[in-house]
Amino acid sequence: MVVSADTIRTAVGIMGNATALVLFFSPAPTFCRIWKSRSVEQFPATPYLATLLNCMMWVLYGLPMVHPHSTLVLTINGSGLVIELIYVLVFLGCSHGDQRLRVLLVLLLEIAFVGAVGALILTLVHSHERRSLIAGVLCVIFGAAMYAAPLAAMRQVIRTRSVEFMPLPLSLASFVNGLCWTTYATIRFDLFITIPNGLGVAFAVAQLALHAVYHGSTARQKKGGRREAEIGLVKPNGRSLEEEVAKGIRVESGVISVEETNKSSMGTNKNLEV
């Protein structure tokens, strides 16, 4: 029995949708941590804002009046839009000050931009081919931006020698998802899907390489942090901070001064005055 190229492409597209869902849900543990601590810590909002914009653009591309017969593209990116919007709203709720304002401003600009593009395409362009071309070019640009967004996290990994704030599930899901959609696009060649997902595979490989290089140092840093917390920041004299406070010992700039020493010094000064 001969399997047609369309059947293979549909099967790969379904696999791509499944891996894309894994990709969208992979930051869930990170956002549970953010929600519980009510702090975004050092996690950047850029990857989630970029993914949200990318999903909105692909939803526009997959609309029947823009690019017909794109059900798989439309459904997965519609799901991703909802999931990423939830992530961004959680990030907004747990961030503070200027950071919250910047994220909110970017979110509003993204919504306004996609709305304006959609309105212009549907009102001024009157053929599916031209609508697909314009939307497709924009999808390539913002798809590449989405996959390049983790570059900020990769710089942080190299600087700190720790992959704590670049979750491994997200990197793995990005790799598998990009691979599936690149395969999907090459069976019946679609340049607009091939370019961003091909870039996604390359960036995901780079992230996985960083995980391989810095996994050991990350574990050592976590272990060192736990050990420091367990010993109560013991000083060279063998006492913890709690013991020093209890005994009236003050530590300042690495010099330990005792109240009794201060008192004896004052007595000596009085004798000298006499």
Side-chain angles (χ1 to χ4, degrees), residues 57-271:
M57 289 306 306
W58 280 108
V59 166
L60 177 62
Y61 178 85
L63 291 175
M65 62 282 293
V66 176
H67 192 80
H69 314 298
S70 299
T71 305
L72 290 174
V73 174
L74 183 61
T75 53
I76 190 57
N77 285 286
S79 303
L81 191 158
V82 174
I83 295 168
E84 295 299 326
L85 182 59
I86 292 172
Y87 290 155
V88 172
L89 292 177
V90 170
F91 200 98
L92 274 172
C94 297
S95 56
H96 306 282
D98 292 341
Q99 185 182 37
R100 174 183 288 179
L101 186 60
R102 285 194 300 270
V103 173
L104 179 60
L105 181 61
V106 173
L107 175 61
L108 294 176
L109 286 174
E110 287 184 355
I111 294 171
F113 174 77
V114 176
V117 170
L120 289 172
I121 288 176
L122 295 176
T123 55
L124 300 180
V125 184
H126 303 292
S127 69
H128 289 149
E129 289 76 13
R130 286 182 173 276
R131 289 175 178 176
S132 297
L133 177 63
I134 296 170
V137 168
L138 291 173
C139 284
V140 167
I141 294 170
F142 294 115
M146 180 193 76
Y147 284 117
L151 286 174
M154 292 167 68
R155 283 195 298 270
Q156 183 179 358
V157 168
I158 295 170
R159 188 177 67 252
T160 62
R161 303 180 68 83
S162 170
V163 292
E164 181 180 1
F165 296 102
M166 189 175 72
L168 179 60
L170 184 59
S171 300
L172 282 171
S174 296
F175 173 73
V176 177
N177 179 66
L179 193 61
C180 285
W181 281 107
T182 302
T183 305
Y184 173 88
T186 52
I187 292 174
R188 180 180 289 175
F189 191 68
D190 188 326
L191 182 65
F192 300 134
I193 297 178
T194 302
I195 292 176
N197 286 286
L199 288 172
V201 172
F203 284 125
V205 168
Q207 292 174 48
L208 293 174
L210 288 177
H211 274 281
V213 171
Y214 294 115
H215 174 74
S217 61
T218 304
R220 287 193 295 272
Q221 287 181 30
K222 288 183 177 180
K223 185 178 179 181
R226 286 196 299 269
R227 183 174 180 276
E228 189 176 73
E230 287 170 1
I231 65 177
L233 295 176
V234 173
K235 297 294 177 181
N237 60 11
R239 298 188 183 96
S240 68
L241 287 177
E242 291 80 0
E243 291 173 333
E244 292 183 348
V245 170
K247 293 188 177 184
I249 297 176
R250 232 174 108 206
V251 179
E252 187 173 338
S253 301
V255 178
I256 301 177
S257 60
V258 188
E259 288 182 0
E260 286 76 7
T261 304
N262 291 337
K263 289 179 182 178
S264 62
S265 298
M266 291 173 63
T268 304
N269 291 336
K270 287 181 181 179
N271 291 333

